[in-house]
């Protein structure tokens, strides 16, 4: 992946390694320093050292090195398998688990666990993402479908493209949402002011989120969100856009929030057509204990 960004006046005189690690999600400063040593980062088309102090207008370009197949090892990681047959499996991912290896996350991922659990997985998305048809964020819990062979993978990917896969999320948002039902139809792209975030932008891709209010509390709202599209951080960015960011989401919402290990977002329902049998399948998974505990506390104080 190759990206570039111009330095704004507010960031002038910052060290290149600190500035870039702040702009990249889930990438440590040490990892950026390694990229700089290996010449994966340039400023104005010139290689610099980690202590280089960026200036307003500098063009910083970087490329994320490809994940090496040798780095992806089978790991005996406990997985909650909701369904499995010879073609697909559905897993309930916990909060804190990264879906596939990436810069800074070469072990402990869902893929590492899947490689240990399964003899074969589809190879359409390459060696670093075997079987992965779609993903959810590290700090979002819930259901994911995984393909065991390429035919199944293509069929499931086509369903996502055709919007026939149903995905419902349970969430807790800041503030009291007035409408019982609503649709957020707003394009999402990279936030031009903060590259670690996504935002509603005119240059973004079409994104549609439907929501239904389940319960209102004094300062929060419990709701169900249904995805019509699947953009990166879609629900998180859309909820921030309507000024009701998710509780626990420090990237898109306030620092003062509910005591949660991540954003209050759980992929609770997943429905798709089986790629071989043609049977319509639907799976549900209850929100994790910490999520339910917070809901109970909100009910008791309302």
């Amino acid at each position: 992946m190759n990206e570039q960004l111009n330095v704004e006046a507010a960031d002038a005189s910052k060290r290149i390694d600190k500035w870039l690690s702040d702009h990249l999600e889930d990438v440590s400063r040490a990892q950026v320093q390694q990229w700089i040593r290996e010449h994966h980062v340039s400023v104005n088309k010139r290689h610099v050292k980690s202590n280089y102090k960026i200036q307003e207008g500098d063009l910083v370009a970087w490329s994320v090195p490809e994940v090496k197949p040798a780095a992806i090892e089978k790991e005996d990681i406990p997985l909650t398998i909701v369904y499995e047959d010879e073609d697909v499996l559905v897993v309930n991912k916990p909060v804190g688990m990264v879906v596939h290896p990436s810069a800074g996350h070469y072990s402990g991922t869902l893929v590492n666990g899947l490689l240990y659990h399964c003899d074969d997985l589809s190879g359409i998305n390459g060696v670093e993402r075997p079987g992965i048809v779609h993903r959810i964020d590290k700090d979002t819990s819930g259901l994911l479908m995984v393909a065991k062979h390429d035919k199944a993978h293509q069929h499931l990917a086509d369903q996502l493209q055709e919007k026939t896969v149903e995905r419902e999320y349970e969430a807790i948002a800041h503030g009291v949402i007035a409408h019982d039902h609503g649709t957020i139809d707003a394009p999402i792209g990279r936030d031009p002011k903060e590259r670690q975030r996504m935002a509603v932008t005119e240059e973004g891709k079409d994104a549609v989120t439907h929501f239904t209010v389940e319960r209102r509390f004094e300062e929060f709202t419990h709701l169900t969100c249904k995805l019509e599209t699947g953009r990166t951080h879609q629900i998180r960015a859309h909820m921030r856009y309507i000024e009701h960011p998710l509780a626990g989401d420090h990237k898109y919402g306030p620092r003062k929030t509910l005591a949660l290990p991540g954003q209050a977002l759980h992929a609770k329902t997943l429905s798709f057509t089986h790629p071989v049998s043609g049977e319509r399948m639907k799976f549900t998974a209850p929100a994790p204990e910490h999520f339910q505990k917070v809901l109970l506390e909100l009910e008791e104080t309302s």
Side-chain angles (χ1 to χ4, degrees):
M1 178 179 66
N2 297 292
E3 292 198 48
Q4 60 184 29
L5 190 66
N6 285 107
V7 175
E8 297 181 353
D11 293 322
S13 298
K14 291 183 179 179
R15 281 178 55 125
I16 179 67
D17 56 348
K18 176 66 167 58
W19 176 84
L20 189 53
S21 64
D22 287 344
H23 276 71
L24 297 177
E25 184 178 10
D26 296 330
V27 177
S28 68
R29 188 169 176 178
Q31 184 66 59
V32 169
Q33 290 172 345
Q34 182 177 339
W35 293 354
I36 292 173
R37 288 194 298 271
E38 296 175 352
H39 291 176
H40 294 295
V41 179
S42 66
V43 179
N44 301 325
K45 299 183 178 181
R46 296 172 55 190
H47 296 299
V48 296
K49 294 184 177 181
S50 295
N51 62 358
Y52 173 81
K53 293 187 177 180
I54 55 177
Q55 301 300 318
E56 180 183 2
D58 275 352
L59 179 64
V60 180
W62 66 94
S63 60
V64 179
E66 290 291 331
V67 177
K68 299 178 181 178
I72 305 175
E73 299 180 354
K74 298 179 180 180
E75 295 181 32
D76 187 4
I77 301 170
L79 299 177
T80 302
I81 306 297
V82 177
Y83 173 84
E84 182 176 12
D85 62 25
E86 60 187 10
D87 306 301
V88 299
L89 66 82
V90 176
V91 61
N92 186 9
K93 187 191 81 68
V95 167
M97 177 181 278
V98 175
V99 172
H100 57 75
S102 59
H105 298 281
Y106 296 105
S107 65
T109 73
L110 177 62
V111 162
N112 293 108
L114 287 171
L115 288 173
Y116 182 92
H117 177 80
C118 303
D119 292 331
D120 295 300
L121 291 170
S122 70
I124 287 179
N125 272 342
V127 293
E128 75 275 17
R129 292 184 291 169
I132 301 302
V133 184
H134 63 126
R135 52 161 288 182
I136 54 179
D137 299 331
K138 174 186 175 184
D139 290 328
T140 297
S141 59
L143 299 173
L144 282 169
M145 54 186 179
V146 177
K148 288 191 171 184
H149 53 79
D150 289 357
K151 180 181 177 181
H153 191 129
Q154 189 60 60
H155 197 288
L156 295 173
D158 288 344
Q159 291 183 55
L160 284 169
Q161 184 69 28
E162 295 162 5
K163 302 179 182 178
T164 58
V165 175
E166 295 181 14
R167 290 168 290 171
E168 287 189 353
Y169 289 71
E170 192 171 358
I172 303 172
H174 280 271
V176 180
I177 299 176
H179 302 288
D180 291 340
H181 306 276
T183 295
I184 309 168
D185 186 349
I188 289 178
R190 187 71 61 178
D191 189 332
K193 296 182 179 179
E194 176 53 75
R195 300 295 290 180
Q196 285 189 353
R197 291 192 314 215
M198 307 301 286
V200 172
T201 65
E202 292 183 0
E203 298 78 18
K205 296 180 179 179
D206 291 343
V208 180
T209 304
H210 307 282
F211 68 82
T212 299
V213 169
E214 302 293 341
R215 176 76 186 274
R216 296 181 179 89
F217 305 104
E218 290 184 7
E219 298 179 1
F220 297 90
T221 301
H222 177 209
L223 66 158
T224 296
C225 296
K226 185 175 181 180
L227 289 181
E228 186 172 315
T229 54
R231 307 305 177 197
T232 301
H233 297 180
Q234 178 171 316
I235 294 175
R236 299 167 67 187
H238 268 170
M239 295 308 296
R240 179 175 184 266
Y241 176 65
I242 65 170
E243 300 182 349
H244 289 286
L246 297 183
D249 193 348
H250 299 303
K251 187 181 293 293
Y252 290 90
R255 303 294 298 182
K256 185 178 181 181
T257 184
L258 299 175
L260 290 161
Q263 58 270 7
L265 188 62
H266 171 70
K268 69 173 184 177
T269 304
L270 177 64
S271 179
F272 58 90
T273 299
H274 192 280
V276 176
S277 71
E279 177 188 358
R280 190 66 184 177
M281 311 183 79
K282 185 175 183 179
F283 306 94
T284 60
E289 185 177 347
H290 66 265
F291 192 116
Q292 298 187 46
K293 181 181 178 182
V294 164
L295 279 178
L296 183 60
E297 291 172 351
L298 288 172
E299 290 176 359
E300 291 175 346
T301 57
S302 295

